[in-house]
Amino acid sequence: MSPLRKKLIAGNWKMNKTSADGVALVQEIVAAAGKQTEVDVVVCPPFTALESVGRVLEGSGVRLGAQNVHPEASGAYTGEISVGMLRALFASYVILGHSERRSYFQESDSFINQKVIASLKGQLKPILCVGETLGQREAGETLRVVQTQLEAGLEGVGKDQIASVVIAYEPVWAIGTGKVATTEQAQQVHAFIRSLLTKSYGENAAEKVRILYGGSMKPANAPELLAQRDIDGGLIGGASLESRSFLELVAAASAVR
Ligand code: PEP
């Protein structure tokens, strides 16, 4: 466990929860974990629930995140949302490069990189997702794929900015499937990511970057994953949709601090 990195548990609600459902969920999260300071907690509702959820979070330690952003500040981009719009709702994080966006919406590494740069410029902390498919893992390409996504996603990010970036290693085959990477598989990739960050930014900066694991993380498997040296928290899909499991994950992160 590094004293330089506070654990972070982030919930990715994906396309779930109306504004009212989201409010009900965060009311429970804030009531139970709104004052704790041992773990950073972030919820990422769909755009339509950001404002209402943000109001419930006011005055608590739970932070608001979005699930996507457009790199341009404004203009003719029908259906898109800018960094400034998210900041106006007091969002402080944004998930970028999620595998669902890469595969269903054909997002390229260079487009994701533009979003990373725009987010940092606008004081929004990117949670940059990287990870291999099952086919790529079976072909022995995991590290190459992760390296390409990481380096392309971070192009142009300065040494003074890297501590504001969160990386999420999400093996695509483990997302929403109930198949979780073994602790050894996850730790190996996390350590590899940190070694790449060390090469690019130096050890001091790399030691400050949080690297989350994502892919069927649940209260039952979290303690072992979170105890690994380079696993600094979780990006949680399914288990973030219910306060009980999400709070158990926050408690698990707090226990290994
Ligand atoms: C995710 O989509 O970021 C994720 C990790 O989902 P799940 O926890 O449901 O696998």
Side-chain angles (χ1 to χ4, degrees):
M1 250 56 56
S2 168
L4 294 172
R5 303 189 296 272
K6 197 191 260 197
K7 289 260 193 285
L8 194 163
I9 296 291
N12 173 13
W13 296 3
K14 311 193 186 190
M15 197 171 73
N16 293 293
K17 308 280 179 198
T18 62
S19 174
D21 293 341
V23 164
L25 174 56
V26 281
Q27 278 170 340
E28 292 172 8
I29 293 169
V30 165
K35 294 284 175 238
Q36 67 78 38
T37 54
E38 292 177 347
V39 178
D40 284 342
V41 179
V42 179
V43 291
C44 304
F47 289 135
T48 46
L50 280 171
E51 186 162 15
S52 57
V53 164
R55 273 201 218 105
V56 181
L57 300 185
E58 261 174 50
S60 84
V62 179
R63 297 279 169 258
L64 187 64
Q67 298 174 22
N68 190 20
V69 75
H70 193 276
E72 295 298 330
S74 63
Y77 300 98
T78 302
E80 294 295 315
I81 308 273
S82 72
V83 171
M85 291 170 184
L86 294 177
R87 291 295 295 148
L89 296 178
F90 305 103
S92 42
Y93 289 84
V94 61
I95 299 170
L96 297 177
H98 191 281
S99 63
E100 288 152 15
R101 298 230 44 102
R102 291 178 190 267
S103 66
Y104 302 148
F105 304 98
Q106 289 79 44
E107 288 198 8
S108 66
D109 281 326
S110 71
F111 189 46
I112 294 162
N113 175 245
Q114 289 175 41
K115 298 178 188 213
V116 169
I117 298 293
S119 298
L120 287 168
K121 195 170 158 215
Q123 322 296 324
L124 204 52
K125 294 186 172 80
I127 301 176
L128 172 64
C129 304
V130 299
E132 81 288 0
T133 62
L134 186 57
Q136 289 165 334
R137 174 163 282 270
E138 286 173 350
E141 291 173 353
T142 297
L143 300 185
R144 183 191 61 73
V145 168
V146 166
Q147 179 165 5
T148 302
Q149 292 178 348
L150 186 83
E151 290 179 348
L154 293 179
E155 200 172 322
V157 173
K159 204 169 172 171
D160 55 328
Q161 295 176 305
I162 193 67
S164 300
V165 177
V166 176
I167 307 295
Y169 169 55
E170 299 208 308
V172 179
W173 48 271
I175 296 178
T177 58
K179 282 187 201 147
V180 65
T182 65
T183 48
E184 292 76 20
Q185 285 172 328
Q187 168 57 26
Q188 184 209 14
V189 179
H190 281 236
F192 175 67
I193 291 171
R194 200 171 312 283
S195 75
L196 294 174
L197 294 172
T198 302
K199 251 189 244 156
S200 301
Y201 298 99
E203 193 178 343
N204 283 351
E207 284 295 320
K208 290 188 188 135
V209 178
R210 281 162 322 170
I211 307 174
L212 312 183
Y213 170 79
S216 300
M217 194 186 256
K218 303 267 177 319
N221 57 37
E224 206 182 323
L225 285 161
L226 293 170
Q228 303 303 304
R229 190 204 173 280
D230 292 293
I231 301 185
D232 305 310
L235 181 55
I236 320 295
S240 73
L241 296 175
E242 209 220 307
S243 62
R244 195 170 141 184
S245 43
F246 189 64
L247 288 166
E248 281 177 18
L249 289 164
V250 173
S254 173
V256 292
R257 198 171 50 99

